[in-house]
């Protein structure tokens, strides 16, 4: 008697671009930057518990991380800065989940996140990051979170320092960029700025590889 093969589970998400993305086995061919920008501009950081008339979106957080990472290491090229910008890209379909909940869910969440990020990297021709770049992304992410916590999410300085560490002094040019990025923006503005920054960095990455 032949035992039928076990059917692989699927988790399809229909994207506005018309793509159907399987979250459990994502294909790079079904990844579109317009879907990423659209989704991240509508996913709220801090579960929406931020000050101001507009949510602070994951799109803005990603722009903030990329700006901070570039200030921490000005030698970074287009591919490395794209890695910074896209570090939270999977959240365009799985949402922003706070770290304590991620820890409770464990690998069930992280494995989906890893597969999506691998498909995104492949779609845009990015290699897996080096250990040094991964550390830089995490450091820039924590600095951004510390700034957001005190400026937008109601944390005291001591509370934020205890969780994220005290942010280092950053160069003057990036401080001005942080002031621009830290305010809540209308959704359409966040989406457009994320997409524009991606296109600028991708041109730089293409120039390096050619």
């Amino acid at each position: 008697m032949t035992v039928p093969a076990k059917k692989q589970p699927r988790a399809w998400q229909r994207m506005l671009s018309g793509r159907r993305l399987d979250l459990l086995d994502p294909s790079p061919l079904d990844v579109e930057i317009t879907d990423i920008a659209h989704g991240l501009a509508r996913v709220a950081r801090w579960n929406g518990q931020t000050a101001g008339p507009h949510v602070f979106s994951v799109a803005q957080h990603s722009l903030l991380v990329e700006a901070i990472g570039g200030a921490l290491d000005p030698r970074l090229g287009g591919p490395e800065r794209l890695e910074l910008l896209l570090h939270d890209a999977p959240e365009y379909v799985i949402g922003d989940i706070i770290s304590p909940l991620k820890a409770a869910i464990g690998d069930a969440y992280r494995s989906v996140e890893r597969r999506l990020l691998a498909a995104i990297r492949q779609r845009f021709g990015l290699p897996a990051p080096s250990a040094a770049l991964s550390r830089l992304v995490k450091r820039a992410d924590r600095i951004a979170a510390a700034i957001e916590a005190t400026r937008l999410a109601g944390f005291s300085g001591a509370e934020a320092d205890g969780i994220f560490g005290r942010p280092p002094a950053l160069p003057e040019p990036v401080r001005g960029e942080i002031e621009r990025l830290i305010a809540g923006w209308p959704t359409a503005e966040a989406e457009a700025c994320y997409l524009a920054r991606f296109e600028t960095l991708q041109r730089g990455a293409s120039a390096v590889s050619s």
Side-chain angles (χ1 to χ4, degrees):
M1 180 178 177
T2 303
V3 178
K6 189 175 181 181
K7 191 173 182 180
Q8 183 176 341
R10 299 289 187 181
W12 296 107
Q13 168 69 44
R14 186 191 182 284
M15 312 309 299
L16 289 176
S17 65
R19 299 288 188 183
R20 289 180 72 238
L21 181 70
D22 180 4
L23 275 63
L24 300 181
D25 187 20
S27 167
L29 296 175
D30 293 325
V31 172
E32 296 288 353
I33 190 58
T34 52
D35 289 328
I36 293 173
H38 180 95
L40 294 186
R42 289 159 175 80
V43 175
R45 285 276 291 173
W46 306 94
N47 293 330
Q49 298 300 306
T50 49
H54 303 290
V55 302
F56 184 76
S57 70
V58 175
Q60 288 172 258
H61 166 76
S62 300
L63 289 162
L64 184 60
V65 169
E66 190 259 318
I68 291 169
L72 293 173
D73 187 351
R75 299 168 300 173
L76 295 179
E80 292 82 10
R81 296 192 74 139
L82 271 175
E83 179 69 28
L84 285 157
L85 185 71
L86 293 167
H87 80 284
D88 273 344
E91 294 178 8
Y92 83 107
V93 283
I94 58 178
D96 183 47
I97 299 179
I98 61 172
S99 295
L101 184 55
K102 286 182 183 179
I105 295 171
D107 201 56
Y109 172 88
R110 295 189 185 280
S111 63
V112 172
E113 185 179 47
R114 284 193 295 267
R115 286 194 293 269
L116 282 165
L117 193 51
I120 290 165
R121 287 190 183 115
Q122 188 175 347
R123 171 67 176 84
F124 300 121
L126 296 177
S130 65
L133 182 56
S134 292
R135 288 193 296 270
L136 178 67
V137 171
K138 288 180 180 178
R139 186 182 179 206
D141 194 29
R142 288 180 69 84
I143 293 170
I147 294 169
E148 294 163 15
T150 54
R151 296 287 296 273
L152 297 171
F155 285 59
S156 70
E159 287 174 324
D161 290 352
I163 297 170
F164 305 108
R166 179 167 294 184
L170 294 168
E172 180 61 38
V174 80
R175 290 204 296 270
E177 183 69 357
I178 287 169
E179 290 303 314
R180 184 180 77 85
L181 293 170
I182 199 66
W185 296 345
T187 300
E189 184 176 353
E191 180 178 350
C193 287
Y194 185 92
L195 189 56
R197 186 58 181 157
F198 171 85
E199 290 171 347
T200 296
L201 292 175
Q202 190 177 52
R203 285 195 296 271
S206 299
V208 169
S209 61
S210 61

